């Protein structure tokens, strides 16, 4: 129904249909970086990619990211369907890339899930589904990464970084800033994700220190 009204939705579905089911990971490690805006994901992912001679991918993937603003203005179910579909299209890119080099990913399934849960559930962190609820489980049919690192910074520092950037805020970023309860729900949802869980990394120190910490975690958890 949505595709009839929105040609972009039809195009996303066409790309999704071309993706093989049950993607298999190649021999190189796949590392995902998660976190709110201005926690340093762009800087860290680029640095890790350069250090490991890796391939950097993002969610939503480049082939559909030009339609992101269109879907962001749609009702929540359509918007979330776009991001969910993006993860499965991205999985197909990860499968191919991980046969060639280490794969570094700026956001993946955990982002889609954390923001969806935080949007659907109003109120405080205590109102979220309990810690072992199935909403925090990784989908069985989606290619899994080897490691997921959640970058976190102090809320005040994150706002300072955003102001220094001077970029136009996304709708979600405006919501995060205006509504500290929403931000807390997103962060707690990230922390409750399992199979794989997120490993938290304090991204407040210098870029060099954060990179050193991240590379150590990758070395400990992945075969390079």
């Amino acid at each position: 129904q949505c595709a009839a009204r929105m040609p972009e939705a039809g195009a996303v579905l066409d790309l999704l249909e071309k993706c093989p089911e049950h993607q298999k990971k190649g021999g190189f490690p796949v590392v995902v970086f998660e976190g709110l805006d201005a926690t340093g994901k762009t800087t860290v992912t680029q640095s890790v990619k350069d250090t490991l001679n890796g391939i950097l991918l993002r969610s939503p993937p480049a082939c559909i990211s030009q339609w992101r603003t269109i879907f962001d203005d749609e009702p929540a179910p359509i918007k979330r369907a776009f991001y969910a579909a993006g993860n499965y299209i991205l999985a197909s890119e990860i499968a191919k890339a991980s046969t060639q080099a280490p794969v570094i990913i700026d956001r993946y399934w955990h982002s889609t899930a954390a923001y969806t849960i935080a949007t659907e559930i109003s109120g405080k962190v205590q109102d979220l589904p309990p810690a072992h609820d199935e909403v925090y489980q990784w989908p069985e049919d989606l290619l899994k990464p080897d490691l997921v690192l959640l970058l976190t910074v102090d809320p005040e520092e994150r706002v300072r970084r955003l102001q220094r950037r001077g970029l136009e805020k996304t709708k979600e970023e405006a919501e995060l800033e205006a509504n500290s309860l929403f931000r807390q729900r997103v962060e707690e949802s990230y922390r409750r994700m399992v199979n794989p869980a997120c490993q938290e990394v304090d991204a407040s120190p210098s870029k060099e220190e954060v990179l050193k910490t991240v590379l150590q975690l990758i070395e400990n958890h992945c075969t390079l």
Side-chain angles (χ1 to χ4, degrees), residues 131-144:
H132 299 293
D133 194 284
E134 62 182 14
V135 296
Y136 304 116
Q137 286 277 351
W138 189 271
E140 287 181 10
D141 61 346
L142 183 63
L143 184 148
K144 267 188 209 175

Side-chain angles (χ1 to χ4, degrees), residues 102-128:
V103 182
I104 312 304
I105 307 169
D106 185 341
R107 290 194 167 174
Y108 193 18
W109 178 263
H110 284 346
S111 274
T112 307
Y115 279 91
T116 301
I117 294 162
T119 305
E120 294 295 318
I121 308 293
S122 56
K124 299 180 179 177
V125 165
Q126 295 91 302
D127 300 315
L128 289 171

Side-chain angles (χ1 to χ4, degrees), residues 4-224:
R5 180 173 64 83
M6 292 174 69
E8 298 85 359
V12 171
L13 290 171
D14 286 346
L15 283 166
L16 193 58
E17 277 175 20
K18 289 175 187 162
C19 297
E21 285 186 46
H22 300 292
Q23 302 283 356
K24 289 278 189 290
K25 196 175 78 66
F28 287 92
V30 174
V31 182
V32 177
F33 287 84
E34 294 284 6
L36 305 179
D37 282 353
T39 50
K41 286 190 309 303
T42 304
T43 304
V44 173
T45 51
Q46 188 63 51
S47 299
V48 173
K49 175 217 167 227
D50 293 344
T51 306
L52 300 181
N53 291 319
I55 295 168
L56 178 58
L57 299 174
R58 290 187 173 85
S59 179
C63 59
I64 64 167
S65 60
Q66 74 268 27
W67 300 317
R68 187 175 183 170
T69 50
I70 294 167
F71 282 93
D72 278 350
D73 284 335
E74 288 295 317
I78 296 172
K79 176 181 172 181
R80 292 303 161 198
F82 167 74
Y83 285 101
N87 285 307
Y88 284 86
I89 295 167
L90 179 62
S92 159
E93 295 180 7
I94 297 166
K96 185 179 175 185
S98 60
T99 64
Q100 302 162 355
V103 182
I104 312 304
I105 307 169
D106 185 341
R107 290 194 167 174
Y108 193 18
W109 178 263
H110 284 346
S111 274
T112 307
Y115 279 91
T116 301
I117 294 162
T119 305
E120 294 295 318
I121 308 293
S122 56
K124 299 180 179 177
V125 165
Q126 295 91 302
D127 300 315
L128 289 171
H132 299 293
D133 194 284
E134 62 182 14
V135 296
Y136 304 116
Q137 286 277 351
W138 189 271
E140 287 181 10
D141 61 346
L142 183 63
L143 184 148
K144 267 188 209 175
D146 295 289
L147 181 63
V148 183
L149 299 175
L150 174 63
L151 302 181
T152 60
V153 293
D154 174 87
E156 288 78 18
E157 168 61 19
R158 203 179 65 78
V159 171
R160 277 196 295 274
R161 289 182 182 187
L162 277 169
Q163 287 166 345
R164 281 203 299 272
R165 278 190 196 174
L167 297 177
E168 194 178 335
K169 291 185 190 117
T170 60
K171 276 189 170 181
E172 271 168 357
E173 186 47 54
E175 174 74 4
L176 286 169
E177 198 169 306
N179 187 338
S180 65
L181 286 178
F182 178 65
R183 189 187 70 240
Q184 288 164 25
R185 293 197 304 273
V186 172
E187 289 189 319
E188 183 57 30
S189 297
Y190 270 130
R191 292 186 178 110
R192 293 184 185 186
M193 297 295 165
V194 291
N195 192 29
C198 297
Q199 292 212 35
E200 268 187 70
V201 174
D202 179 10
S204 307
S206 68
K207 286 184 271 196
E208 293 76 18
E209 284 179 74
V210 175
L211 178 60
K212 187 179 172 186
T213 302
V214 161
L215 290 172
Q216 189 66 57
L217 284 165
I218 294 171
E219 193 178 315
N220 292 347
H221 287 84
C222 305
T223 309
L224 291 170

